[in-house]
Amino acid sequence: MRTIAVIDPYWTGHHPTYAKLFSGALLTLGHRVMTFCPEPEEVKAWLAAHGSHDLERFHGFQLHEPAPSRFPYEPLQATLTGIGMWRSAARAISKAERATGIRPDLVFFLWLDSYLGFFRNRHIVDRLLPHDWIGIYFQPRHLRQYEHLSDTVGPPTDHDVELLSRRCRGVALLDEGVAGLLHTRLRGKPVVVFPDVADASPPDHEYPLRRDIICRANGRKIISILGGLARRKGMFTLLEAASQMRQDDCFFLFAGVPSLTAEEETTLGKIMAEYPENCFFHIGFIPGEPQFNALVELSDIIYAAYENFPHSSNLLTKAALFEKPVIVGRSSCMGERVAAVRIGESIHEGDVNECIAAIRRLLTAVEGTWDFARFRQTHCEEQLLAALRQILKV
């Protein structure tokens, strides 16, 4: 039995789901788990309610994102912020070790991105964190920029030089399209592709928002953006499509927390003031996975044609769980997946006409068009266990 310290100082979006699913998977594999996150008691309660986990092997500790550096000399701010991130994790582990007498064998960063890109010298990390570590690299954007070049493209840059730390034992990716390139750039260090798993909690059919949407839709087909309202989510493309489809038998749902510029807030405010009859806006948090899944379940199409976002999203896994076709951006990891496994349509990001055409094709598709089962099989908890076994061999 190994002791794995799971680190994630964030608690929005997918972060709670990953803290719970990965803690549970590591327990299933027989390891002792020390989870450091903002809400460790919530993780423990979820573990108690999901499966027969041995909670005597689980230890939860509170960890929050440290404040970024405000050092007045700007060139040093990023370096000092990075030192703060690594030190925060190291100190939390050291404190937990003193309290329990347990020293982790391996540290697992569930969101490695926030620990990269600060240093030009990989040896700094070796001094800041005296433990072997691995992590999930969610958004290696620079690798997507190089994807059509030779796999011999240079060594790690300032984006990820920390991955050459002698204590980094391997890297997990959610984007299979760049795994080979990263493996080459890390000089053969293990790179393992992980499934983009999602919480499959039963939908909350008593969720009041669900009833309101069904009432307002009045039998029309529902096209949804869920989990965040921002330009990068393709929100304004779908809003324009909704405006041009007022005569179609469609209803458009926008539900989540906004992340908008002042100008974008003004634009959205004007649209909401007119309150198009074929749109529904829920500006705010969706309380939990059962409620989120209730909104996925009532949708007929999930819109995920994100703009300037070439990475993976577990919203596709959610859609496959509830057998809802998706619209995604063509030039992205998600576009490649939709091309490989038929679960929806892809469009050029920001193209309203393509968006409208895709919606109409999806709504007239015949039964049996989509291969949701194959996608679910690729991004399921069984595949997560297999990927964990592989990366934990290091």
Side-chain angles (χ1 to χ4, degrees), residues 17-18 21-22 24-25 28-29 46 174 193-200 312-314 316-318 320-321 337 372-389:
T17 294
Y18 265 61
L21 289 178
F22 275 74
T28 297
L29 292 176
W46 186 91
L174 301 182
V193 177
F194 270 52
D196 202 345
V197 290
D199 188 305
S312 178
S313 169
N314 72 350
L316 268 64
T317 308
K318 288 273 194 187
L321 285 169
R337 288 176 179 168
F372 297 116
R374 182 180 167 197
F375 196 92
R376 288 196 300 268
Q377 185 177 13
T378 303
H379 297 276
C380 65
E381 291 188 41
E382 289 76 13
Q383 293 300 323
L384 172 60
L385 293 174
L388 282 169
R389 289 189 186 98

Side-chain angles (χ1 to χ4, degrees), residues 9 44 48 111 204 212 222 236 272 310 345 367:
K44 186 174 183 179
W111 179 262
D204 178 6
D212 292 345
I222 300 173
F236 289 99
M272 292 180 63
E345 295 272 350
E367 186 176 350

Side-chain angles (χ1 to χ4, degrees), residues 59-326:
H59 304 270
F61 306 92
Q62 198 165 69
L63 176 68
H64 296 276
E65 178 188 12
S69 171
R70 294 186 178 180
F71 192 73
Y73 183 53
E74 190 170 338
L76 281 179
Q77 283 185 0
T79 299
L80 293 174
T81 294
I83 290 172
M85 291 293 298
W86 287 94
R87 277 185 174 170
S88 175
R91 287 170 175 169
I93 294 169
S94 179
K95 182 180 178 181
E97 186 178 345
R98 291 193 301 270
T100 63
I102 301 170
R103 179 178 174 82
D105 300 298
L106 187 69
V107 175
F108 193 160
F109 292 98
L110 293 186
W111 179 262
L112 191 54
D113 304 55
S114 290
Y115 295 85
L116 302 180
F118 295 111
F119 312 123
R120 293 173 182 247
N121 185 334
R122 66 182 186 271
H123 301 297
I124 296 175
V125 175
D126 296 336
R127 293 193 290 270
L128 291 172
L129 184 70
H131 300 274
D132 288 347
W133 55 272
I134 58 176
I136 308 175
Y137 196 179
F138 274 76
Q139 298 181 6
R141 179 176 295 272
H142 59 296
L143 299 183
R144 275 283 164 182
Q145 292 170 349
Y146 293 140
E147 64 178 332
H148 299 301
L149 303 179
S150 166
D151 280 0
T152 60
V153 165
T157 65
D158 292 347
H159 296 290
D160 52 22
V161 71
E162 293 93 339
L163 299 180
L164 287 178
S165 161
R166 66 183 176 84
R167 291 193 176 275
C168 175
R169 310 303 297 167
V171 182
L173 284 179
L174 301 182
D175 184 349
E176 61 274 16
V178 298
L181 177 54
L182 184 61
H183 179 72
T184 299
R185 287 160 61 81
L186 294 185
R187 305 166 188 171
K189 188 170 289 194
V191 174
V192 179
V193 177
F194 270 52
D196 202 345
V197 290
D199 188 305
S201 297
D204 178 6
H205 291 157
E206 301 304 314
Y207 185 29
L209 180 62
R210 175 183 179 273
R211 295 196 297 268
D212 292 345
I213 294 165
I214 292 173
C215 181
R216 282 284 308 281
N218 194 26
R220 288 173 287 183
K221 301 296 185 181
I222 300 173
I223 299 92
S224 300
I225 284 183
L226 302 173
L229 303 179
R231 180 174 294 279
R232 71 173 184 84
K233 290 290 191 80
M235 175 183 177
F236 289 99
T237 301
L238 190 61
L239 279 168
E240 180 57 32
S243 178
Q244 295 184 30
M245 297 181 71
R246 291 174 187 253
Q247 302 307 312
D248 288 68
D249 192 29
C250 296
F251 190 74
F252 296 83
L253 169 63
F254 302 84
V257 177
S259 178
L260 304 168
T261 66
E263 182 180 353
E264 290 165 352
E265 284 183 358
T266 299
T267 300
L268 179 59
K270 289 179 180 178
I271 294 171
M272 292 180 63
E274 297 176 2
Y275 221 89
E277 194 278 330
N278 67 338
C279 292
F280 188 104
F281 300 93
H282 172 72
I283 309 299
F285 283 105
I286 300 168
E289 294 298 328
Q291 293 75 35
F292 192 100
N293 289 349
L295 300 186
V296 174
E297 184 190 47
L298 65 77
S299 302
D300 293 283
I301 296 172
I302 299 296
Y303 188 86
Y306 300 163
E307 298 179 10
N308 195 27
F309 183 86
H311 311 296
S312 178
S313 169
N314 72 350
L315 188 57
L316 268 64
T317 308
K318 288 273 194 187
L321 285 169
F322 293 96
E323 302 201 340
K324 307 297 178 179
V326 298

